[in-house]
Amino acid sequence: MFGMESLDVMIGIITIYLIFALACTAIVEAYSAWRDVRSKNLEVALKEFLHGQNTDGGQFVDAFFAHPIVQTLSVGEHGRPSYITPEIVGQVVASLINKKEGDSPLRTGIAMLPGTILDNRIKGLLDALYGETGENLAAFRKLIENHYDEAMDRASGWYKRKTQLYALVISAFLVIFANVDTVSLANSLSSNPAARAKMVELAQKTLDAAKTTDSSTKTTTPDAQDPGAPAINAGDRAAAETLAKAYSNLSSAGIQLGWKDDYPDSLGAVISKIFGLLVSILAISLGAPFWFDILNRVMQVRAAGASPREKSKT
C-alpha cells in the first residue's frame, strides 16, 4: 500500500511538472518565433558555411540569400527563411558557380572566385569538393548537401542551447510566481488521499488530451520532436490558455498554488522552500516532451502494479 501511495505522489508531482512544462515550452516557442531565433540561427550557420567572397567582390552568402530560389522562401527582400533543405542549398550553390562556359563550367566558376583557396574559405571548400567529383554536377551538389547537413547539426546544437536557456529563465519565473514548491507539493499529496486520487485522474486525462492533440495537429519545425510528445502551439495566446488551464485543473484536484500564507518562518523552512523551488525550476525547464514520456511510463507501471480492486476505482 505504501508503495502505491508513493507512486501516486510521484504521478501527481510529474503531472504538475508536465502541466507547467507545457506552458513553459509554449512561451519559449512564442518568444523564439517573435525574435526570429530560427532564421537568425540559420543565417549565422550559413555565414559560417559559405564564408568568403563572391566573383563580384561581395560576400558569397549574400549572393546565396539574394538568389531567386532562396528569395521565394523568405518574407520580403531582406527576409531570411527559418529553414532551407539541403537540396536547395546544393542547387543554389552550384548555380552560383556553374557558369556554363567552356568544357569545365564548375572548374571555371570556382577559379573565378577572388583570392586563393587559402584566403577565401568558400573557394577552398568548393575546390576541395570539386577535387572529389570533377565535373559531375549531381555528385558535386550531393557533397554540398552533405556538408550543409553537418553544418546544420552544429546549428541545431546552438539553437537547442539557446532554447534551454530560455526555458530555464521562463521556468524560474513560472515557478516563483506560482510557488510551485516540489517539497511542499509532495508533503501535501502524501497527507491527502483525495488529492492524490484526483491527480492520478488528472494525469490520465492529460495524457489522453495530449495524445489526441498530437494526432490531430503537429508542430511543423525543422527539429524533430518525440512522436509521442504533445504538440505545442507556438503562440503567446496558447501559452496564456495553457497557464489558465493549469491553474484550473490543479485547483479542481485540490492543489492550491500561489503564495498566500505560505511564507517560510524559520531557517529550515527557508532552506526547504529554496530547495523545493529549485527542483521545480530545473524539472520544468526539461520541457513537456520529457515529462510526457516519464508520466506515460509511470502510469503504465501503476496500471501493471495495481490490484483488480484498485484498477476498478481508477
Side-chain angles (χ1 to χ4, degrees), residues 230-241:
I232 306 298
N233 191 319
D236 51 359
R237 180 179 177 182
E241 291 175 351

Side-chain angles (χ1 to χ4, degrees), residues 40-91:
K40 290 178 180 177
N41 193 62
L42 176 63
E43 184 176 4
V44 170
L46 282 170
K47 283 182 178 179
E48 288 295 318
F49 175 47
L50 303 176
H51 180 74
Q53 290 184 304
N54 194 24
T55 53
D56 60 1
Q59 293 298 307
F60 193 91
V61 69
D62 292 336
F64 175 87
F65 281 119
H67 195 280
I69 293 178
V70 178
Q71 281 291 304
T72 60
L73 303 176
S74 310
V75 178
E77 182 181 355
H78 302 291
R80 294 290 185 262
S82 59
Y83 180 65
I84 305 177
T85 65
E87 292 76 16
I88 288 179
V89 172
Q91 180 181 359

Side-chain angles (χ1 to χ4, degrees), residues 22 25-27 29-30 213 219 230-239 241-242:
L22 283 166
T25 306
I27 295 172
E29 289 292 335
T213 302
T219 302
I232 306 298
N233 191 319
D236 51 359
R237 180 179 177 182
E241 291 175 351
T242 302

Side-chain angles (χ1 to χ4, degrees), residues 92-130:
V92 172
V93 171
S95 71
L96 289 174
I97 63 170
N98 189 15
K99 302 302 181 179
K100 303 294 185 184
E101 297 176 0
D103 297 328
S104 304
L106 285 178
R107 177 77 274 173
T108 302
I110 295 172
M112 289 177 63
L113 293 173
T116 68
I117 61 174
L118 297 179
D119 57 27
N120 189 354
R121 186 191 302 174
I122 187 63
K123 185 172 186 176
L125 170 64
L126 297 177
D127 184 76
L129 299 183
Y130 178 85

Side-chain angles (χ1 to χ4, degrees), residues 265-285:
D265 54 4
S266 66
L267 179 60
V270 170
I271 294 175
S272 176
K273 174 62 68 175
I274 293 175
F275 177 76
L277 293 176
L278 284 176
V279 170
S280 297
I281 290 171
L282 293 174
I284 291 171
S285 69

